[in-house]
Amino acid sequence: MKIEIMGYSGSGKSTLCRSFSEKYDLPALYLDSVHFLPNWEVREDAEKQSIVTSFLDSNPDGWVIDGNYSKLSYDRRVEEADIVIQMLFGRMDCLWRCTKRYHKYKGKTRPDMAEGCSEKMDSEFVKWILFGGRTKKAKERYKKVRETYPEKVVVIKNQKQLNKYMEKMGL
């Protein structure tokens, strides 16, 4: 089984990814951990692409991937996935979830983040949650995936829908 999880920051992509990985014994790749080096430095594009390509090539029987990153084998990930989950929670829900996550991991590195990237909640990230990650281009990319692969896309817009889906999948 191959599962691609995309969506807005704070919607629960990483938690869902971890749940699928544990339940179905699938290797997981968190694209934030590929994108960032310690201290929130950004990894070189060629190295990021190499990591993602190697992961996909090394796991032909199944995987679960969390993240958007349209330059990191996006089309391949979506095409190869058996299930594409779009986590499209509202702005305020995502902000609330990120705030809770910040308090849980403050001063520590989340399991789905690059080592040495201590959890932070600054104005730049808040702007990203509320606006930057919700550009017209991003919304069009999600829509294109839904139109191209309607048979394998699952859209989740709130916690109630997420709970129902997780129950259905035995998570």
Side-chain angles (χ1 to χ4, degrees):
M1 180 183 311
K2 297 178 182 179
I3 304 164
E4 169 67 25
I5 304 171
M6 57 180 62
Y8 300 135
S9 294
S11 59
K13 297 182 306 292
S14 299
T15 302
L16 186 59
C17 181
R18 192 168 30 263
S19 295
F20 271 113
S21 176
E22 291 170 2
K23 170 73 177 182
Y24 295 104
D25 196 28
L26 293 169
L29 182 64
Y30 303 93
L31 295 181
D32 280 345
S33 70
V34 173
H35 182 73
F36 292 106
L37 293 165
N39 299 313
W40 298 98
E41 295 294 322
V42 175
R43 190 182 306 267
E44 292 291 326
D45 287 345
E47 186 180 357
K48 289 187 287 191
Q49 184 58 57
S50 175
I51 292 167
V52 174
T53 299
S54 176
F55 178 83
L56 292 168
D57 291 346
S58 299
N59 297 290
D61 297 328
W63 43 255
V64 57
I65 299 175
D66 147 34
N68 300 304
Y69 296 97
S70 61
K71 294 180 181 176
L72 297 179
S73 300
Y74 185 85
D75 292 334
R76 178 179 174 188
R77 293 180 349 239
V78 171
E79 184 178 317
E80 289 184 13
D82 300 302
I83 303 169
V84 177
I85 302 169
Q86 294 184 342
M87 305 285 287
L88 305 180
F89 281 50
R91 283 180 171 87
M92 297 313 290
D93 286 335
C94 289
L95 182 59
W96 171 246
R97 293 165 74 97
C98 283
T99 301
K100 286 191 333 186
R101 181 176 73 194
Y102 169 73
H103 289 291
K104 180 177 181 178
Y105 291 103
K106 185 177 180 180
K108 298 182 256 180
T109 301
R110 296 189 325 256
D112 49 274
M113 184 52 72
E115 197 60 44
C117 291
S118 295
E119 190 66 16
K120 64 180 182 173
M121 186 77 169
D122 56 15
S123 61
E124 182 182 339
F125 187 49
V126 171
K127 287 180 197 172
W128 174 258
I129 295 165
L130 297 175
F131 306 106
R134 296 167 184 271
T135 63
K136 183 178 180 182
K137 188 175 182 178
K139 291 176 182 180
E140 288 172 356
R141 217 175 13 253
Y142 296 142
K143 182 180 177 185
K144 182 180 178 192
V145 170
R146 289 192 302 273
E147 291 173 348
T148 306
Y149 303 101
E151 71 286 351
K152 64 181 177 180
V153 175
V154 175
V155 177
I156 299 173
K157 295 185 177 183
N158 56 52
Q159 188 64 49
K160 184 177 178 180
Q161 290 177 355
L162 177 57
N163 292 344
K164 187 176 179 180
Y165 184 71
M166 289 180 73
E167 185 178 326
K168 173 185 170 189
M169 298 303 290
L171 301 174

